[in-house]
Every structure is written in structure tokens, then in C-alpha cells.
Amino acid sequence: MEPNGSGSDASRQVQVRFVTRPPPPLRVPPASMAVPSHLTRFGLSDIVNLLLKNSDPDHENQPFDFLIDGELVRMQLDEFLIAKGISAEKVLELEYVKAVAPRKQEDPRPHDDWVSAVDGLIQGCYDTFVRIWKSGDVSECTHVLEGHTGAITSAKFIDIRGVENEQNFHLVTGSKDRLLRLWKCDAAKRRGDPIRVGAYKILAGHTSSVQSVSVNPSREMICSGSWDCSIKLWDVKESEEDGDGNTISLKKRKVNSKTKESEDARLE
């Protein structure tokens, strides 16, 4: 029986020549041959492996991918020729290359819901939690930030001047619970299981879901956008000293403008 086929299908054949760029021992003789037109890349791999084994008895079978005019063949050979409008009357050059297996995720880290915000190693999720990951050969969750009551929509790293430490890092998160929360994490405290962290400050003022959060280059101001049609600026320069996790900070700033409408505007 022909590789990957039946006797009736084998009656339809096309002339092919197998070519490859790697040097011997992976190079087959350049002569053309007739092969069944219904073959897929698996049947074509069988033929190439057979030809290679004829030249080298120690050859070990391996899967190959095949290209015609630089395009991978991902269907039966005759179907590919029809789809691309290629004549089966001429000798086809089939370039073969080693097939690369898709990368397998050895240690998947599923979340309980959609991942909705990412900034580096920060991941915010619709399950209301923010997770911080440690990079390496095997990624692992080092901190779980809990306190939001709605889905996380945005998360950003921040640095607060005067309290930076190579072991400490700060971040801000926004949520559908209409709040922003400021967090401080100590990387040196981790022992085994992920550390559970609570926010040291809550920023309230939006009347609808907070959709985006950004930190300015000086790392002293936070900008938040919300479905309540407002954009608010938050001064977090002194937030470390302002209070604990139950403190609500709301600072208003007047915007100077020539128009009455903008004179009455406030950025919080």
C-alpha cells in the first residue's frame, strides 16, 4: 500500500522532485518520481524518510514540512495545487524542511477568570485579584493583591520618591468597583506560597468603572479614566505617609483657562 493512502487513490499521481537546503545526510537523490496526488505532508514524509533510509540504513524517521513556491502544504497535494492554480502536468519541486513541534507549556498557570490587565510581571484578572509573577525557567506567582470587589481593568508599576528600595515595589490598580488602590510589595518577604497583600491606600472619586490608569514620568502623579466620562489626576507623592489602607485620598486641582467652562472644571 502507498504511504497514507489507498490503492484507488494511488492511480492519480503527480511528478515531484524533492529538494532541500540542508546538506547530506538529509538530502535525497534529485531525480523526479511519481507520487499519489492525495498525499498530505505525513505521506510525503514517509517517502522522504524511505529515500533517506535507502542511502543511510541508520537514518531515523522524522517528520518534515513541505513547501511549494515558498508556501507550506497543509492539505492534500492535489487540493493544494487546485487552490493555488498550479498545473499538475509539470514536475513539482517540493522543498522539505524539518518539522518543528509547537512549543509546549510545561507548567500552565490558569486564572479563575479573564486576564484583563498586564504590565510587565503584573497581571490583573476578572476574579478581582492582581498577581505578580517572578520570571525564570519556571514562572511562579509571588504575590496576590486582594481587596478589589470588581474586575481588575488596569494595573501599573509606580515608584514613590523617597521610599524606593531594591526589595520594594509599588503599583496602582483600577477596577470596575470604581476605586483605585495603591499597593506596596516587599520581594524579600516571600517564603513558599504567594504573599497576600492588602492596599495601603484607596483612591475614591469615580462614579463608574475605572477603565484605565497611567503613571507620569516623575512617578508622582497618577491619571485615571472612567466610564463616568471623567479623567482624574491623583497626587501620590506623599501617599506613603498619608495613611493606611483604609484612608481615602481625594485631591482637587483647578485648571486655568480663559473660558468659564474650563474655569469651573476640576481635576481630581
Side-chain angles (χ1 to χ4, degrees):
M1 180 181 292
E2 294 289 346
N4 196 37
S6 63
S8 60
D9 289 333
S11 61
R12 299 191 298 271
Q13 296 184 333
V14 292
Q15 292 287 325
V16 301
R17 180 184 296 111
F18 293 104
V19 298
T20 190
R21 296 182 182 181
L26 288 181
R27 183 170 295 175
V28 301
S32 64
M33 65 182 67
V35 300
S37 63
H38 70 280
L39 290 183
T40 64
R41 64 190 180 101
F42 302 108
L44 295 171
S45 289
D46 289 343
I47 295 177
V48 171
N49 280 306
L50 181 60
L51 294 173
L52 292 173
K53 191 173 287 290
N54 288 338
S55 302
D56 180 9
D58 295 329
H59 169 75
E60 295 184 0
N61 288 353
Q62 58 183 290
F64 293 98
D65 278 321
F66 295 84
L67 301 93
I68 296 179
D69 294 336
E71 188 168 350
L72 286 170
V73 178
R74 285 290 186 260
M75 58 185 74
Q76 289 186 187
L77 192 55
D78 52 1
E79 293 176 351
F80 182 89
L81 298 180
I82 294 173
K84 301 301 177 182
I86 299 174
S87 173
E89 300 300 323
K90 64 179 183 179
V91 177
L92 299 174
E93 279 202 351
L94 282 176
E95 180 181 357
Y96 60 96
V97 296
K98 287 183 178 181
V100 179
R103 183 176 179 181
K104 181 180 179 182
Q105 187 175 1
E106 298 295 341
D107 188 17
R109 301 286 183 174
H111 293 275
D112 293 333
D113 213 326
W114 293 347
V115 174
S116 49
V118 177
D119 183 23
L121 297 176
I122 306 174
Q123 289 184 348
C125 187
Y126 261 53
D127 62 6
T128 75
F129 296 113
V130 178
R131 295 171 177 83
I132 300 174
W133 299 84
K134 178 182 178 181
S135 63
D137 294 336
V138 178
S139 61
E140 56 180 329
C141 179
T142 60
H143 298 74
V144 176
L145 282 52
E146 51 189 9
H148 280 295
T149 58
I152 307 300
T153 56
S154 187
K156 295 290 182 183
F157 276 114
I158 59 174
D159 291 320
I160 301 176
R161 189 167 300 172
V163 297
E164 295 99 329
N165 186 294
E166 62 180 4
Q167 296 294 341
N168 295 335
F169 50 92
H170 298 72
L171 56 147
V172 57
T173 57
S175 167
K176 287 191 174 184
D177 63 10
R178 303 176 294 177
L179 300 173
L180 287 83
R181 290 177 184 260
L182 301 181
W183 315 79
K184 178 181 178 182
C185 300
D186 187 348
K189 288 183 179 180
R190 182 176 181 274
R191 295 290 186 274
D193 295 335
I195 300 173
R196 299 278 173 168
V197 181
Y200 69 81
K201 182 170 289 298
I202 301 171
L203 305 180
H206 284 295
T207 58
S208 189
S209 171
V210 177
Q211 287 302 110
S212 61
V213 173
S214 183
V215 181
N216 78 328
S218 69
R219 304 292 180 178
E220 295 178 353
M221 298 292 296
I222 294 173
C223 178
S224 60
S226 167
W227 276 100
D228 62 13
C229 302
S230 71
I231 296 176
K232 299 184 185 295
L233 296 179
W234 309 85
D235 187 350
V236 295
K237 180 171 56 178
E238 304 297 333
S239 60
E240 180 72 6
E241 291 79 19
D242 280 349
D244 57 21
N246 295 321
T247 302
I248 295 178
S249 174
L250 183 60
K251 298 188 177 183
K252 297 183 179 181
R253 297 190 173 206
K254 186 173 181 179
V255 178
N256 295 322
S257 176
K258 296 181 180 179
T259 65
K260 183 178 184 303
E261 179 180 355
S262 59
E263 286 177 353
D264 293 337
R266 296 292 186 272
L267 293 182
E268 297 177 353

